[in-house]
Amino acid sequence: MNIMNIQGPNTTGQRSTLDYSIVGCFTLILLLFILLLDAYEYVTVPGASQARNQLHQGLEDLTGMEIMTKQELAQLTLEVEQAKVVVHDKKQEVEEIVEKVELMEHELKPETAPITVEEQKEEKEKEEAIVEKTVEHELGIDKWCGSCQWNHMNFNCDKRVSWLMERYHIDELEAKEASLDQGCHTRRNLRGT
């Protein structure tokens, strides 16, 4: 009767390369999982935030794009919403003034009131242009250069406005208002902030 050895060829107690590879892969996966939890702020790993900040800065310098944290993204969203409110309120204010002026003009000179549909349409377009220009002037956007560097980044304010318009589906006026308060140095000089 023959007795078979079930243990295999390595009976000396030494570990194989495969065993070390499995342990190494498991350790790497565990480390990545912990760093992922740190990135989502579920756990805090000492030194990880400094390494992450250095990595973000390196990527920003390399690509010329801005990498935002959750707090920065929340702040940007808040500033975009505030810009929408500011622009909306200013437009309403100016539209009311323009309407009052037009009513006064038509009361004083009834012959200036539009008669045809085309004249009414033309007057409405003029009103919209006046409102737009006045809002831009009131908010300081009429002095927009767009070519200045935005917040010490590798792009200008016009690029920032384009990105805000695409990302948040807002109009140009709202995007400019949000950009000027965030990082445009020209606006800070205009408003004194």
Side-chain angles (χ1 to χ4, degrees):
M1 181 183 255
N2 276 337
I3 299 179
M4 285 182 121
N5 186 359
I6 299 176
Q7 286 185 336
N10 191 359
T11 58
T12 61
Q14 295 177 346
R15 301 277 180 196
S16 70
T17 307
L18 180 61
D19 291 338
Y20 288 116
S21 298
I22 291 172
V23 170
C25 287
F26 178 75
T27 305
L28 183 62
I29 290 170
L30 183 63
L31 177 64
L32 290 173
F33 181 72
I34 291 171
L35 289 176
L36 179 68
L37 289 177
D38 179 64
Y40 286 102
E41 300 173 356
Y42 292 118
V43 297
T44 303
V45 178
S49 63
Q50 182 181 2
R52 184 176 54 249
N53 291 342
Q54 288 176 347
L55 177 63
H56 284 184
Q57 186 63 42
L59 285 173
E60 286 176 353
D61 292 342
L62 182 65
T63 62
M65 297 183 341
E66 180 183 5
I67 299 175
M68 301 174 76
T69 64
K70 285 182 183 180
Q71 293 85 8
E72 291 171 333
L73 189 57
Q75 180 66 26
L76 175 62
T77 303
L78 177 66
E79 289 173 356
V80 166
E81 291 302 317
Q82 289 172 343
K84 284 181 179 179
V85 169
V86 167
V87 169
H88 178 265
D89 291 347
K90 190 56 74 174
K91 276 186 178 180
Q92 276 188 321
E93 180 183 324
V94 172
E95 284 172 354
E96 289 173 7
I97 293 170
V98 167
E99 286 176 21
K100 287 178 184 177
V101 168
E102 294 243 340
L103 283 175
M104 288 173 31
E105 180 184 0
H106 296 313
E107 286 175 2
L108 294 174
K109 297 179 183 179
E111 66 275 0
T112 62
I115 300 171
T116 66
V117 175
E118 291 171 357
E119 288 176 340
Q120 289 175 346
K121 183 179 177 183
E122 186 178 309
E123 186 170 311
K124 186 71 175 167
E125 289 173 357
K126 285 180 184 178
E127 284 178 22
E128 289 174 0
I130 290 170
V131 168
E132 191 78 17
K133 290 293 182 189
T134 306
V135 168
E136 286 179 3
H137 179 73
E138 289 287 318
L139 296 175
I141 296 173
D142 59 335
K143 294 177 176 62
W144 177 266
C145 75
S147 61
C148 61
Q149 185 179 14
W150 188 86
N151 203 20
H152 305 293
M153 299 300 287
N154 293 334
F155 52 87
N156 62 25
C157 291
D158 280 340
K159 290 277 188 191
R160 180 67 175 191
V161 166
S162 296
W163 179 80
L164 286 172
M165 290 170 61
E166 287 179 29
R167 174 83 164 94
Y168 293 97
H169 307 290
I170 57 178
D171 67 24
E172 186 176 3
L173 201 57
E174 294 166 340
K176 284 181 178 179
E177 174 64 21
S179 291
L180 290 174
D181 283 338
Q182 292 174 14
C184 180
H185 301 291
T186 301
R187 172 64 160 279
R188 291 183 182 177
N189 293 335
L190 292 174
R191 280 199 175 162
T193 57

